[in-house]
């Protein structure tokens, strides 16, 4: 069964034209991520593995046993063997001598749009016809301009290419017209896979159609239906054209229109608040896919003057049949995937779209480029869409989506790649009915204003002292306010059911970087805020009342504060009337490889210091190792969360250690601290790898619930150059873990 996303933050106001489409869908077998392939692993032998490489557009070949993707950085197309989709393997690259913009496959051939333009004023390019198995380029056919999207007709007789001749965004602030104008190029394909008119491309003129810059159409994306009709989006022109390829004739064309949105976040201010409105937003669609021979769906990414933050369904004559309104924005906020830094622009930014038939059901996939989600809908066939599932893309910047319906597969290509930032371009593979964990693992309910509770960057975890179903979390400085979130963990996914902003005299406390939280028996909290010398941020422990008001502010003694470095307070635990605080890494007064566990007697305000020995980095990439959390286990025992700062294939140390402070006396300030003994309790790396995505580096929260269950959570960095997944690890009890060994 699909998880009840519709009951979590998405109960109202999501569809402008078809509110009935929000009714819970009938049971459909869900999709599970079974693998993720890092594109750098397909670099030619001898290439530096840190070389930037990008999977942008992806499609399938060889009866769905091979994925083919474009790599504009490498100027190649790459191949990934998915004979066993749960274990994809590198299958090599084919160099093109130009920038590939899109790829389509028919039989044994790949048809690749290749941009060879030397300037915006003199665009050029061709279609390369490639024998997939051998890698031989069988033909190059000039398209009289700079190609973008490529599509093949269902009957295999037509190839269409959107010739964008893109504008120079630095010229006249990117405003069009900027000639030369783009067009639609097409070729006939014969039975052998050759282009019958390679020497003389068919050009369909698209000028004079749009109200916006009619002299400069910039075709962005093309798709072909069973009648050999091509739908072409003119993104910058906010226009759509339907072309009869056989007759080389524009059948219909129409504006993509505009929308009014109420209940979005339109301001970049470090707060997710779906309370604002925008009117007259041009859709400016990017990707497009046919639902059937008469209807198509557009992803309304927007360009320089628009972006409606959703998707739409049109008929071939231009009738608007459905618009998603604020649905995708609300969904991203509920799932912790909302990109707040993009609020002032285009929000979650729908860009990609794909359609496939699985088990007799027509499904629609909409890629949210900035939210790193692909949202799955069922075509209701009556102008509506039924929300089924959200698929975290497993990387950053989902650009391409393809389906292998015969094998129940969806492949998502993520284009962001930076070895320096510990992010690599990937292709994530989902399978209907596949084995794997349920994703996402945390969702939020609606808040008092009827909008989903916005959340992200969870950096500390604590348990309710008496109710095993309730946990608490805090967010770090990615957001401009500090919040205490209440989580109900009695069901999967876990649900954020409340958020309380930390205040002083009723106003939000500024300049906090909350990294730890401990819950007291009276319902209050102790939260740790990490200091930052260069941001004038002190290290703080705040005693916070249940209503969020700060009752007491505790600062470090000067002897500690003067020695601190950037990596400071990371976790706090309460045991009887004493606080224990984990410091992430060595400070100026610590021996190398040692960090501090601080203690504070709340009755006498007496501080003590203990030294904790850190593991040495084990990744080939180096980096550092530090602490992320401390959790009280009872009887003087504590769990310590220790991790390196590596992600993906370089992640090595994500561990829970246990320390026993019974009989250990913390040293007074200025004296030599005792060195603690630690014992390994849990290696979290297999747990993180089990989600079959880009392995998270920031395991930030850990707590023991009232019933003995141990939980951990990862920090998603607010979906800022991060995959955005918040993994909620249910680690079981000590007895369960022992029995599983």
């Amino acid at each position: 069964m699909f998880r009840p996303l519709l009951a979590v933050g998405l109960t109202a106001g999501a569809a402008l034209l078809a509110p009935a489409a929000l009714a819970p869908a009938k049971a459909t077998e869900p999709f599970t991520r079974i693998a993720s392939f890092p594109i750098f692993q397909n670099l030619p032998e001898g290439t530096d593995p840190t070389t930037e490489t990008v999977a942008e557009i992806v499609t399938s070949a060889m009866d769905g046993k091979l994925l083919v993707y474009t790599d504009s950085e490498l100027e190649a197309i790459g191949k990934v063997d998915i004979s066993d989709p749960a274990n994809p393997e590198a299958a090599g690259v084919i160099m093109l001598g130009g920038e590939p913009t899109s790829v389509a496959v028919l039989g044994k051939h790949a048809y690749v749009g290749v941009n060879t333009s030397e300037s915006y004023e003199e665009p050029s390019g061709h279609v390369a016809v490639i024998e997939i198995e051998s890698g031989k380029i069988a033909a190059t056919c000039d398209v009289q301009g700079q190609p973008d999207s490529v599509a093949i007709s269902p009957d295999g007789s037509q190839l269409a290419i959107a010739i964008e001749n893109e504008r120079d965004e630095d010229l006249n602030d990117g405003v069009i017209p900027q000639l030369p104008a783009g067009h639609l190029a097409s070729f006939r394909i014969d039975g052998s896979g050759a282009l019958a008119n390679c020497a003389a491309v068919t050009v369909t003129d698209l000028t004079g159609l749009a109200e916006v810059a009619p002299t400069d159409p910039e075709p962005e994306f093309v798709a072909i239906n069973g009648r050999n009709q091509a739908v072409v989006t003119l993104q910058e022109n906010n226009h759509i054209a339907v072309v009869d390829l056989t007759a080389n004739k524009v059948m219909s064309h129409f504006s993509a229109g505009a929308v009014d949105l109420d209940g979005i976040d339109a301001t970049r201010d470090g707060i997710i608040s779906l309370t604002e409105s925008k009117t007259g937003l041009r859709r400016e669609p990017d990707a497009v896919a046919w639902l059937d021979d008469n209807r198509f769906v557009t992803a309304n990414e927007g360009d320089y003057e628009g972006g409606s933050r959703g998707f739409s369904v049109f008929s071939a004559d231009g009738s608007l049949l459905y618009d998603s309104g604020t649905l995708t924005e609300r969904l991203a906020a509920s799932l912790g995937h909302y990109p707040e830094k993009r609020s002032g622009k285009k929000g979650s930014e729908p860009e990609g779209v794909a359609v496939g038939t699985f088990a007799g059901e027509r499904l629609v996939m909409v890629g949210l480029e900035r939210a790193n989600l692909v949202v799955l809908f069922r075509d209701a066939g009556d102008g509506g869409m039924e929300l089924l599932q959200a698929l975290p893309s497993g990387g950053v910047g989902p650009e391409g989506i393809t389906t292998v319906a015969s094998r129940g597969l969806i492949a998502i290509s993520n284009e962001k790649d930076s070895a320096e930032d510990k992010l690599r371009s990937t292709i994530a593979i989902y399978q209907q009915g596949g084995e794997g964990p349920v994703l996402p693992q945390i969702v939020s309910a609606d808040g008092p204003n009827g909008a989903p509770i916005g959340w992200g960057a969870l950096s500390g975890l604590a348990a309710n002292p008496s109710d095993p179903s309730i946990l608490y979390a805090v967010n770090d400085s990615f957001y401009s306010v500090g919040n205490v979130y209440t989580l109900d963990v009695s069901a999967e996914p876990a649900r954020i059911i409340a958020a309380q902003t930390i205040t002083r005299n009723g106003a939000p406390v500024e300049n906090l970087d909350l990294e730890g939280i401990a819950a007291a028996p009276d319902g209050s909290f102790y939260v740790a805020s990490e200091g930052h010398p260069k941001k004038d941020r002190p290290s703080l422990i705040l005693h916070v009342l249940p209503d969020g008001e700060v009752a007491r502010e505790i600062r470090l003694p000067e002897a500690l504060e003067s020695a601190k470095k950037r990596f400071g307070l990371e976790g706090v635990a309460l045991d009887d009337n004493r606080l224990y605080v984990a410091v992430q890494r060595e400070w100026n007064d610590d021996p190398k490889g040692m960090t501090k566990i601080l203690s504070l007697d709340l009755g006498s305000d007496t501080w003590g210091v203990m030294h904790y020995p850190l593991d040495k980095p084990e990744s080939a990439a180096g980096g550092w190792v530090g602490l992320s959390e401390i959790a009280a286990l009872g009887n003087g025992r504590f769990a310590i969360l220790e991790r390196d700062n590596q992600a993906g294939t370089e992640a090595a140390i994500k561990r829970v250690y246990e320390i026993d402070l019974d009989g250990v006396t913390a040293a007074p300030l200025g004296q030599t601290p005792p060195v603690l003994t630690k014992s390994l309790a849990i290696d979290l790396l297999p747990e993180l790898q089990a989600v079959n995505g880009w392995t998270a580096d920031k395991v930030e929260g850990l707590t023991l619930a009232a019933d003995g269950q141990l939980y951990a959570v990862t920090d998603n960095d607010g979906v800022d150059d991060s995959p955005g997944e918040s993994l909620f690890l249910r680690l079981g009890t000590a007895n369960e873990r022992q029995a599983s060994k």
Side-chain angles (χ1 to χ4, degrees):
M1 292 285 290
F2 283 103
R3 299 298 176 185
L5 291 180
L6 294 173
V8 185
L10 297 168
T11 54
L16 295 180
L17 299 180
L22 292 180
K26 67 181 182 180
T28 301
E29 195 168 18
F31 288 80
T32 302
R33 192 168 63 209
I34 59 171
S36 185
F37 179 80
I39 298 303
F40 79 89
Q41 292 183 348
N42 203 26
L43 283 167
E45 186 175 355
T47 305
D48 183 345
T50 66
T51 299
E52 185 174 357
T53 179
V54 173
E56 189 173 4
I57 303 301
V58 62
T59 190
S60 66
M62 304 300 183
D63 297 321
K65 295 182 180 180
L66 188 76
L67 295 177
V68 180
Y69 63 89
T70 61
D71 186 337
S72 58
E73 291 295 329
L74 201 62
E75 295 193 342
I77 61 169
K79 300 184 291 184
V80 180
D81 184 344
I82 58 168
S83 298
D84 177 0
N87 295 285
E89 296 182 355
V93 298
I94 301 169
M95 307 304 293
L96 298 170
E99 176 194 2
T101 58
S102 185
V103 59
V105 167
L106 177 64
K108 298 180 179 180
H109 293 87
Y111 302 80
V112 186
V114 182
N115 177 18
T116 58
S117 303
E118 295 185 1
S119 68
Y120 292 103
E121 295 79 14
E122 297 182 356
S124 64
H126 60 263
V127 168
V129 183
I130 300 172
E131 295 176 359
I132 297 173
E133 189 170 353
S134 68
K136 176 184 177 182
I137 299 178
T140 57
C141 307
D142 183 73
V143 294
Q144 297 187 16
Q146 172 247 317
D148 198 333
S149 170
V150 174
I152 295 174
S153 62
D155 67 3
S157 68
Q158 299 282 346
L159 173 72
I161 310 98
I163 308 302
E164 184 175 12
N165 292 348
E166 63 184 357
R167 72 186 194 280
D168 182 352
E169 296 186 21
D170 295 326
L171 176 64
N172 194 28
D173 293 327
V175 176
I176 56 176
Q178 290 185 22
L179 300 181
H183 57 269
L184 181 69
S186 60
F187 297 90
R188 296 187 309 279
I189 304 175
D190 64 25
S192 68
L195 301 187
N197 55 331
C198 179
V201 59
T202 299
V203 172
T204 304
D205 182 13
L206 300 175
T207 61
L209 304 182
E211 294 180 5
V212 178
T215 61
D216 183 23
E218 296 200 15
E220 185 75 24
F221 214 96
V222 60
I224 307 173
N225 67 8
R227 298 171 180 168
N228 285 330
Q229 298 166 349
V231 57
V232 187
T233 57
L234 313 181
Q235 186 171 17
E236 289 85 348
N237 309 82
N238 195 39
H239 211 76
I240 299 171
V242 179
V243 176
D244 185 330
L245 293 175
T246 303
N248 187 25
K249 176 183 178 181
V250 176
M251 298 174 52
S252 63
H253 66 89
F254 41 88
S255 170
V259 300
D260 298 336
L261 295 180
D262 185 28
I264 61 170
D265 189 344
T267 305
R268 176 180 171 176
D269 56 5
I271 301 173
I272 301 174
S273 177
L274 303 183
T275 59
E276 298 177 273
S277 301
K278 279 202 169 186
T279 59
L281 286 171
R282 294 176 179 173
R283 290 188 173 89
E284 293 183 347
D286 187 342
V288 62
W290 288 95
L291 282 167
D292 53 36
D293 285 345
N294 188 56
R295 298 175 301 141
F296 55 83
V297 58
T298 62
N300 303 327
E301 178 198 21
D303 202 275
Y304 66 106
E305 288 191 8
S308 67
R309 307 188 180 204
F311 67 100
S312 303
V313 178
F314 293 90
S315 65
D317 64 6
S319 300
L320 178 63
L321 304 177
Y322 171 85
D323 191 276
S324 65
T326 62
L327 173 58
T328 52
E329 296 289 278
R330 292 171 63 90
L331 181 62
S334 175
L335 302 182
H337 276 256
Y338 182 75
E340 207 290 318
K341 284 190 175 181
R342 302 294 298 180
S343 292
K345 297 185 177 179
K346 296 177 285 185
S348 58
E349 205 164 311
E351 181 172 14
V353 66
V355 174
T357 301
F358 293 82
E361 295 182 320
R362 196 71 164 161
L363 304 184
V364 176
M365 289 129 271
V366 181
L368 309 183
E369 181 183 17
R370 300 293 179 171
N372 302 331
L373 287 172
V374 170
V375 188
L376 188 63
F377 298 85
R378 181 169 54 226
D379 175 20
D382 56 359
M385 288 284 149
E386 295 176 338
L387 173 61
L388 295 177
Q389 193 177 6
L391 312 178
S393 69
V396 176
E399 181 79 13
I401 311 168
T402 194
T403 66
V404 185
S406 62
R407 304 184 70 196
L409 301 177
I410 297 172
I412 304 165
S413 55
N414 297 280
E415 65 177 342
K416 177 72 174 181
D417 188 89
S418 172
E420 181 180 358
D421 296 330
K422 305 177 183 64
L423 284 173
R424 303 313 303 260
S425 176
T426 64
I427 296 177
I429 301 173
Y430 277 84
Q431 185 170 51
Q432 191 169 34
E435 294 293 326
V438 173
L439 297 172
Q441 296 182 340
I442 306 176
V443 301
S444 71
D446 284 353
N449 63 358
I453 297 170
W455 63 279
L458 301 184
S459 54
L461 205 58
N464 183 289
S466 58
D467 187 344
S469 68
I470 297 297
L471 304 182
Y472 306 100
V474 289
N475 63 264
D476 65 22
S477 61
F478 180 84
Y479 300 103
S480 60
V481 298
N483 294 294
V484 175
Y485 300 100
T486 302
L487 286 78
D488 179 356
V489 301
S490 61
E492 294 187 50
R495 300 175 70 242
I496 293 177
I497 56 176
Q500 183 66 61
T501 299
I502 295 177
T503 59
R504 183 182 287 115
N505 299 322
V509 180
E510 298 181 349
N511 202 23
L512 292 178
D513 186 9
L514 302 181
E515 295 288 351
I517 180 173
D522 64 359
S524 65
F525 305 95
Y526 289 90
V527 298
S529 178
E530 183 177 20
H532 197 309
K534 294 183 179 179
K535 295 185 178 180
D536 195 29
R537 180 186 297 141
S539 302
L540 296 175
I541 303 292
L542 301 178
H543 185 203
V544 179
L545 300 178
D547 64 358
E549 186 72 7
V550 173
R552 182 189 178 194
E553 178 180 290
I554 304 170
R555 296 199 176 213
L556 296 184
E558 179 60 24
L560 291 171
E561 186 74 13
S562 62
K564 77 176 183 181
K565 289 185 177 180
R566 161 69 183 87
F567 298 94
L569 310 187
E570 277 289 316
V572 60
L574 178 64
D575 188 38
D576 291 331
N577 202 38
R578 188 180 295 271
L579 290 178
Y580 294 88
V581 185
V583 175
Q584 187 169 61
R585 294 175 62 192
E586 306 99 325
W587 283 358
N588 290 322
D589 58 346
D590 294 318
K592 184 175 177 58
M594 292 284 183
T595 190
K596 293 181 176 73
I597 302 292
L598 305 175
S599 68
L600 173 63
D601 187 313
L602 293 172
S604 64
D605 283 347
T606 302
W607 289 88
V609 183
M610 296 164 281
H611 267 148
Y612 178 96
L614 294 168
D615 288 350
K616 294 180 179 180
E618 296 178 5
S619 168
W624 52 259
V625 176
L627 305 187
S628 282
E629 183 70 285
I630 181 171
L633 302 177
N635 300 319
R637 297 179 302 114
F638 293 83
I640 304 292
L641 186 54
E642 189 172 349
R643 68 171 180 89
D644 59 16
N645 67 333
Q646 301 300 308
T649 55
E650 294 295 336
I653 298 175
K654 317 292 178 186
R655 296 166 182 163
V656 178
Y657 283 97
E658 186 176 323
I659 59 174
D660 190 345
L661 301 185
D662 187 28
V664 177
T665 301
L669 300 185
Q671 297 186 19
T672 302
V675 177
L676 299 174
T677 299
K678 64 182 185 180
S679 59
L680 180 63
I682 310 173
D683 183 356
L684 294 178
L685 192 57
E687 300 277 350
L688 299 172
Q689 293 171 334
V691 299
N692 300 318
W694 186 248
T695 303
D697 65 326
K698 293 185 178 180
V699 194
E700 292 282 309
L702 180 75
T703 194
L704 185 72
D707 60 355
Q709 297 286 333
L710 192 66
Y711 299 95
V713 71
T714 62
D715 177 356
N716 75 348
D717 284 330
V719 207
D720 183 31
D721 283 338
S722 164
E725 296 179 20
S726 294
L727 301 181
F728 185 69
L729 306 181
R730 299 171 184 263
L731 302 172
T733 67
N735 289 337
E736 289 170 343
R737 292 193 302 274
Q738 186 64 36
S740 66
K741 290 182 179 179

